Amino acid sequence: MKKHLFLISLLINCTSAFAIPNFSKIDTYTIKADQNYLAATPAKNQNGTINAIIEIPTGSNEKWEVSKVDGSIINWEFKNGQPRIVHYLGYPSNYGTIPNTALPKSLGGDGDPLDVLVLGSAMVQGSIVQVRLIGGLKMLDNGEQDDKLLAVPITEQSPFKKN
């Protein structure tokens, strides 16, 4: 576990400036941004917050993810030729990824960027949200380690609170 925490902190500790992408839904299954979510967005901001790309809003049951082929696209994942839908329950939090954190299998990762669960109200799919990490879940997916980070947005998302 210490090895994985070290690798996570190493991946997240790269900082730089970036532009927030403009994005639009081009069809039922695709969101397209004007920049590469994974390559053009730093994992960590200069103020210490982390950037989370929101792939799946709270309450949704549709499985979406940033494309590893073209990082400017978020696709509705397909399984057996059909859009992937979670049938038993919507996502209890916003689900996303932290850019620039893909760890190759040769170094103990699964080849994907780190997954993050952002607690709170549903956020806009395709948006990049500044978050603070508050914990993690150690998980396995088909025998491979696939940990999830837990985070909260730095800006209040509640429709009941006036900013």
Side-chain angles (χ1 to χ4, degrees):
M1 181 67 169
K2 286 182 182 178
K3 175 182 161 189
H4 285 87
L5 290 175
F6 171 74
L7 291 172
I8 288 169
S9 68
L10 202 68
L11 289 168
I12 290 177
N13 274 321
C14 104
T15 62
S16 62
F18 74 102
I20 296 174
N22 292 314
F23 57 91
S24 60
K25 200 162 190 172
I26 46 179
D27 62 36
T28 304
Y29 308 108
T30 312
I31 295 171
K32 173 86 170 146
D34 63 355
Q35 71 182 37
N36 186 317
Y37 282 107
L38 300 177
T41 309
K44 187 175 180 182
N45 299 303
Q46 292 178 352
N47 64 1
T49 61
I50 302 299
N51 289 313
I53 302 163
I54 304 301
E55 299 168 312
I56 306 166
T58 298
S60 175
N61 64 348
E62 302 170 354
K63 176 68 171 96
W64 289 71
E65 70 177 0
V66 175
S67 169
K68 290 180 214 115
V69 176
D70 179 349
S72 68
I73 291 177
I74 299 177
N75 288 316
W76 191 348
E77 193 175 296
F78 275 65
K79 188 173 185 177
N80 300 323
Q82 297 294 316
R84 192 164 163 204
I85 295 176
V86 179
H87 292 286
Y88 53 90
L89 176 72
Y91 280 78
S93 68
N94 298 282
Y95 188 92
T97 192
I98 299 176
N100 282 299
T101 59
L103 186 62
K105 290 184 179 194
S106 62
L107 294 177
D110 62 1
D112 293 336
L114 293 170
D115 295 323
V116 62
L117 301 169
V118 181
L119 305 177
S121 304
M123 297 176 181
V124 176
Q125 188 175 41
S127 63
I128 298 173
V129 179
Q130 289 187 28
V131 301
R132 292 209 188 283
L133 298 180
I134 60 170
L137 300 170
K138 189 172 181 175
M139 302 180 76
L140 291 177
D141 184 8
N142 292 321
E144 291 184 332
Q145 188 158 353
D146 192 18
D147 298 343
K148 310 294 180 213
L149 299 176
L150 298 174
V152 293
I154 62 163
T155 304
E156 176 64 48
Q157 301 291 319
S158 171
F160 304 107
K161 182 175 179 184
K162 303 266 189 246
N163 290 331

